[in-house]
Coordinates of all heavy atoms in Angstrom, one line a residue:
L7 N 117.8 138.5 126.4 CA 118.2 137.3 125.7 C 119.7 137.4 125.4 O 120.4 136.4 125.5 CB 117.4 137.1 124.4 CG 115.9 136.8 124.6 CD1 115.2 136.7 123.3 CD2 115.8 135.4 125.3
L8 N 120.2 138.5 124.9 CA 121.6 138.7 124.6 C 122.4 138.5 125.9 O 123.5 137.8 125.9 CB 121.9 140.0 124.0 CG 121.5 140.2 122.5 CD1 121.7 141.6 122.1 CD2 122.4 139.2 121.7
L9 N 122.0 139.1 127.0 CA 122.8 138.9 128.2 C 122.7 137.5 128.8 O 123.7 137.0 129.4 CB 122.2 139.9 129.3 CG 122.9 141.3 129.2 CD1 122.2 142.3 130.2 CD2 124.4 141.2 129.5
I10 N 121.6 136.8 128.6 CA 121.5 135.4 129.0 C 122.6 134.6 128.2 O 123.3 133.8 128.7 CB 120.1 134.8 128.8 CG1 119.2 135.4 129.8 CG2 120.1 133.3 128.9 CD1 117.7 135.1 129.6
L11 N 122.6 134.8 126.9 CA 123.6 134.1 126.0 C 125.0 134.5 126.4 O 125.9 133.6 126.5 CB 123.4 134.4 124.6 CG 122.1 133.8 124.0 CD1 121.9 134.3 122.5 CD2 122.1 132.3 124.0
I12 N 125.3 135.7 126.7 CA 126.7 136.2 127.1 C 127.0 135.6 128.4 O 128.2 135.1 128.6 CB 126.8 137.7 127.1 CG1 126.7 138.2 125.6 CG2 128.0 138.2 127.7 CD1 126.5 139.7 125.5
T13 N 126.1 135.6 129.4 CA 126.4 135.1 130.7 C 126.6 133.6 130.6 O 127.5 133.0 131.2 CB 125.2 135.4 131.7 OG1 125.0 136.8 131.7 CG2 125.4 134.8 133.0
A14 N 125.8 132.9 129.9 CA 125.9 131.4 129.7 C 127.3 131.1 129.1 O 128.0 130.2 129.5 CB 124.8 130.8 128.9
A15 N 127.6 131.9 128.0 CA 128.9 131.6 127.3 C 130.1 131.9 128.3 O 131.1 131.2 128.3 CB 129.0 132.5 126.1
L16 N 130.0 132.9 129.1 CA 131.0 133.2 130.1 C 131.2 132.1 131.1 O 132.3 131.7 131.4 CB 130.7 134.5 130.8 CG 131.7 134.9 131.9 CD1 133.1 135.3 131.3 CD2 131.2 136.1 132.7
I17 N 130.1 131.6 131.6 CA 130.2 130.5 132.6 C 130.8 129.2 131.9 O 131.6 128.6 132.5 CB 128.8 130.2 133.2 CG1 128.3 131.4 134.0 CG2 128.8 128.9 134.0 CD1 126.9 131.3 134.5
L18 N 130.4 128.9 130.7 CA 130.9 127.8 130.0 C 132.4 127.9 129.7 O 133.2 127.0 129.8 CB 130.2 127.5 128.7 CG 128.7 127.0 128.9 CD1 128.0 126.9 127.5 CD2 128.7 125.7 129.6
L19 N 132.8 129.1 129.4 CA 134.2 129.4 129.1 C 135.0 129.3 130.4 O 136.1 128.7 130.4 CB 134.4 130.8 128.5 CG 135.7 131.2 127.9 CD1 136.1 130.3 126.8 CD2 135.7 132.6 127.5
L20 N 134.5 129.8 131.5 CA 135.2 129.7 132.8 C 135.3 128.3 133.2 O 136.3 127.8 133.8 CB 134.5 130.6 133.8 CG 134.7 132.1 133.7 CD1 133.8 132.8 134.7 CD2 136.1 132.5 133.8
N21 N 134.3 127.5 132.9 CA 134.3 126.1 133.3 C 135.4 125.3 132.5 O 136.1 124.5 133.0 CB 132.9 125.4 133.1 CG 132.9 124.0 133.7 OD1 133.3 123.8 134.8 ND2 132.4 123.1 132.9
Y22 N 135.5 125.7 131.2 CA 136.5 125.1 130.3 C 137.9 125.4 130.9 O 138.7 124.5 131.1 CB 136.4 125.6 128.9 CG 137.6 125.1 128.1 CD1 137.6 123.8 127.6 CD2 138.6 126.0 127.8 CE1 138.7 123.4 126.8 CE2 139.7 125.5 127.1 CZ 139.7 124.3 126.6 OH 140.8 123.8 125.8
Y23 N 138.2 126.6 131.2 CA 139.5 127.0 131.7 C 139.7 126.4 133.1 O 140.8 126.0 133.5 CB 139.7 128.5 131.8 CG 140.0 129.0 130.4 CD1 139.1 129.9 129.8 CD2 141.1 128.6 129.7 CE1 139.4 130.4 128.5 CE2 141.4 129.1 128.5 CZ 140.6 130.0 127.9 OH 140.8 130.5 126.6
R24 N 138.7 126.2 133.9 CA 138.8 125.6 135.2 C 139.2 124.1 135.0 O 140.1 123.6 135.7 CB 137.5 125.6 136.0 CG 137.5 124.9 137.3 CD 136.2 124.6 137.9 NE 135.3 123.8 137.0 CZ 135.4 122.5 136.9 NH1 136.3 121.8 137.6 NH2 134.6 121.8 136.1
R25 N 138.6 123.4 134.1 CA 138.9 122.0 133.8 C 140.3 121.9 133.2 O 141.1 121.0 133.6 CB 137.9 121.4 132.9 CG 136.6 121.0 133.5 CD 135.6 120.3 132.6 NE 135.6 120.6 131.2 CZ 136.3 120.0 130.3 NH1 137.0 118.9 130.6 NH2 136.2 120.4 129.0
A42 N 138.2 130.3 121.7 CA 137.1 130.3 122.7 C 135.8 129.8 122.1 O 135.0 129.2 122.8 CB 136.9 131.7 123.3
H43 N 135.5 130.2 120.9 CA 134.2 129.7 120.3 C 134.1 128.2 120.3 O 133.0 127.6 120.5 CB 133.9 130.3 119.0 CG 135.0 130.0 117.9 ND1 136.2 130.5 117.9 CD2 134.9 129.1 116.9 CE1 136.9 130.0 116.9 NE2 136.2 129.1 116.3
N44 N 135.2 127.5 120.1 CA 135.2 126.1 120.1 C 135.0 125.5 121.5 O 134.3 124.5 121.7 CB 136.5 125.5 119.5 CG 136.6 125.8 118.0 OD1 135.6 126.0 117.3 ND2 137.8 125.8 117.5
F45 N 135.6 126.2 122.5 CA 135.5 125.8 123.9 C 134.1 125.9 124.4 O 133.6 125.0 125.0 CB 136.4 126.6 124.8 CG 137.8 126.7 124.3 CD1 138.6 127.8 124.7 CD2 138.4 125.7 123.6 CE1 139.9 127.9 124.3 CE2 139.7 125.8 123.2 CZ 140.5 127.0 123.5
I46 N 133.4 127.0 124.0 CA 132.0 127.2 124.5 C 131.1 126.1 123.9 O 130.3 125.5 124.6 CB 131.5 128.6 124.1 CG1 132.3 129.6 124.9 CG2 130.1 128.7 124.3 CD1 132.1 131.0 124.4
F47 N 131.3 125.8 122.6 CA 130.5 124.8 122.0 C 130.8 123.4 122.6 O 129.9 122.6 122.8 CB 130.8 124.7 120.5 CG 129.9 123.8 119.7 CD1 128.5 124.0 119.6 CD2 130.4 122.7 119.1 CE1 127.7 123.2 118.9 CE2 129.6 121.8 118.5 CZ 128.2 122.0 118.3
E49 N 131.9 122.7 125.6 CA 131.3 122.7 127.0 C 129.8 122.5 126.9 O 129.3 121.8 127.8 CB 131.7 124.0 127.7 CG 133.1 124.0 128.2 CD 133.5 122.9 129.2 OE1 132.8 122.7 130.2 OE2 134.5 122.2 128.9
W50 N 129.2 123.1 126.0 CA 127.7 123.0 125.8 C 127.4 121.5 125.5 O 126.5 120.9 126.1 CB 127.2 123.9 124.7 CG 125.7 123.7 124.5 CD1 125.1 123.0 123.5 CD2 124.7 124.1 125.4 NE1 123.8 123.1 123.7 CE2 123.5 123.7 124.8 CE3 124.6 124.8 126.6 CZ2 122.2 124.0 125.4 CZ3 123.4 125.1 127.2 CH2 122.2 124.7 126.6
L53 N 127.7 119.4 128.6 CA 126.6 119.7 129.5 C 125.3 118.9 129.1 O 124.6 118.4 130.0 CB 126.3 121.2 129.5 CG 125.2 121.7 130.5 CD1 125.6 121.4 131.9 CD2 124.9 123.1 130.2
F132 N 122.2 125.2 135.4 CA 123.1 126.1 134.7 C 122.2 127.2 134.0 O 122.5 128.4 134.1 CB 123.8 125.4 133.6 CG 124.4 126.2 132.5 CD1 125.5 127.0 132.8 CD2 123.9 126.2 131.3 CE1 126.1 127.8 131.8 CE2 124.4 127.0 130.3 CZ 125.5 127.8 130.5
T133 N 121.1 126.8 133.4 CA 120.3 127.8 132.7 C 119.5 128.7 133.7 O 119.4 129.9 133.4 CB 119.3 127.1 131.8 OG1 120.0 126.1 131.0 CG2 118.6 128.1 130.9
S135 N 120.5 129.6 136.7 CA 121.5 130.5 137.3 C 121.9 131.6 136.3 O 122.0 132.7 136.6 CB 122.7 129.7 137.7 OG 122.3 128.8 138.7
S136 N 122.1 131.1 135.0 CA 122.5 132.1 134.0 C 121.4 133.1 133.7 O 121.7 134.3 133.6 CB 122.8 131.4 132.7 OG 123.9 130.5 132.8
T137 N 120.2 132.7 133.7 CA 119.1 133.6 133.5 C 118.9 134.6 134.6 O 118.7 135.8 134.4 CB 117.8 132.8 133.3 OG1 118.0 131.9 132.2 CG2 116.6 133.7 132.9
A139 N 121.2 135.6 136.8 CA 122.3 136.5 136.7 C 122.1 137.5 135.6 O 122.4 138.7 135.8 CB 123.6 135.7 136.5
A140 N 121.7 137.1 134.5 CA 121.5 138.0 133.4 C 120.3 139.0 133.6 O 120.4 140.2 133.3 CB 121.2 137.3 132.1
L143 N 121.5 141.7 135.8 CA 122.2 142.7 135.0 C 121.3 143.6 134.2 O 121.5 144.8 134.1 CB 123.2 142.1 134.1 CG 124.4 141.4 134.7 CD1 125.2 140.6 133.7 CD2 125.3 142.4 135.4
V157 N 124.5 143.7 142.5 CA 124.5 143.0 141.2 C 125.9 142.3 141.0 O 125.9 141.1 140.7 CB 124.3 144.0 140.1 CG1 124.5 143.4 138.7 CG2 122.9 144.6 140.2
V158 N 127.0 142.9 141.2 CA 128.3 142.3 141.0 C 128.5 141.1 142.0 O 128.9 140.1 141.6 CB 129.4 143.3 141.2 CG1 130.8 142.7 141.2 CG2 129.3 144.3 140.0
N160 N 126.2 139.3 143.6 CA 125.4 138.2 143.2 C 125.8 137.5 142.0 O 125.7 136.3 141.8 CB 123.9 138.6 143.2 CG 123.3 138.7 144.5 OD1 123.1 137.7 145.2 ND2 123.1 139.9 145.0
F161 N 126.3 138.2 141.0 CA 126.8 137.6 139.8 C 128.0 136.7 140.0 O 128.0 135.6 139.6 CB 127.2 138.8 138.8 CG 127.4 138.3 137.4 CD1 126.4 138.1 136.5 CD2 128.7 137.9 137.0 CE1 126.7 137.6 135.2 CE2 129.0 137.5 135.7 CZ 128.0 137.3 134.8
I162 N 128.9 137.2 140.9 CA 130.0 136.4 141.2 C 129.6 135.1 142.0 O 130.1 134.0 141.7 CB 131.1 137.2 142.0 CG1 131.7 138.3 141.1 CG2 132.1 136.4 142.7 CD1 132.5 139.3 141.8
V163 N 128.7 135.3 142.9 CA 128.2 134.1 143.7 C 127.6 133.1 142.8 O 127.8 131.9 142.9 CB 127.3 134.6 144.9 CG1 126.6 133.4 145.5 CG2 128.1 135.3 145.9
I164 N 126.7 133.6 141.9 CA 126.0 132.6 141.0 C 127.0 131.9 140.1 O 127.0 130.7 139.9 CB 125.0 133.4 140.1 CG1 123.8 133.8 141.0 CG2 124.5 132.5 139.0 CD1 122.8 134.7 140.3
V165 N 128.0 132.6 139.5 CA 129.0 132.0 138.7 C 129.8 131.0 139.5 O 130.1 129.8 139.0 CB 129.9 133.0 138.0 CG1 131.1 132.4 137.3 CG2 129.1 133.8 137.0
A166 N 130.2 131.3 140.7 CA 130.9 130.4 141.6 C 130.1 129.2 141.9 O 130.7 128.1 141.9 CB 131.4 131.1 142.8
L167 N 128.8 129.4 142.2 CA 128.0 128.2 142.5 C 127.9 127.2 141.3 O 128.0 126.0 141.5 CB 126.5 128.7 142.8 CG 126.2 128.9 144.2 CD1 124.8 129.5 144.3 CD2 126.3 127.7 145.1
V168 N 127.7 127.8 140.1 CA 127.6 126.9 138.9 C 128.9 126.2 138.7 O 128.9 125.0 138.4 CB 127.2 127.7 137.7 CG1 127.2 126.9 136.5 CG2 125.8 128.3 137.9
L169 N 130.1 126.9 138.8 CA 131.3 126.2 138.6 C 131.6 125.2 139.6 O 132.1 124.1 139.3 CB 132.5 127.3 138.6 CG 132.4 128.2 137.4 CD1 133.6 129.3 137.5 CD2 132.5 127.5 136.1
Y170 N 131.3 125.5 140.9 CA 131.4 124.5 141.9 C 130.5 123.3 141.7 O 130.9 122.1 142.0 CB 131.2 125.1 143.3 CG 131.4 124.2 144.5 CD1 132.7 123.7 144.7 CD2 130.4 123.8 145.3 CE1 132.9 122.8 145.8 CE2 130.6 122.9 146.4 CZ 131.9 122.4 146.6 OH 132.1 121.6 147.6
F172 N 129.5 122.1 138.8 CA 130.1 121.3 137.7 C 131.3 120.5 138.3 O 131.5 119.4 137.9 CB 130.5 122.2 136.6 CG 129.4 122.8 135.7 CD1 129.7 123.9 134.9 CD2 128.2 122.2 135.7 CE1 128.7 124.4 134.1 CE2 127.2 122.7 134.9 CZ 127.4 123.8 134.1

Side-chain angles (χ1 to χ4, degrees):
L7 291 174
L8 283 174
L9 274 174
I10 290 170
L11 290 175
I12 291 169
T13 302
L16 176 69
I17 292 172
L18 290 174
L19 191 63
L20 289 173
N21 189 51
Y22 171 79
Y23 283 117
R24 178 197 58 81
R25 283 186 325 97
H43 61 284
N44 293 336
F45 308 152
I46 294 169
F47 186 69
E49 285 298 310
W50 177 255
L53 181 65
F132 164 73
T133 310
S135 301
S136 299
T137 304
L143 291 173
V157 172
V158 170
N160 281 288
F161 190 86
I162 291 170
V163 168
I164 288 173
V165 170
L167 268 176
V168 174
L169 293 177
Y170 184 63
F172 286 161

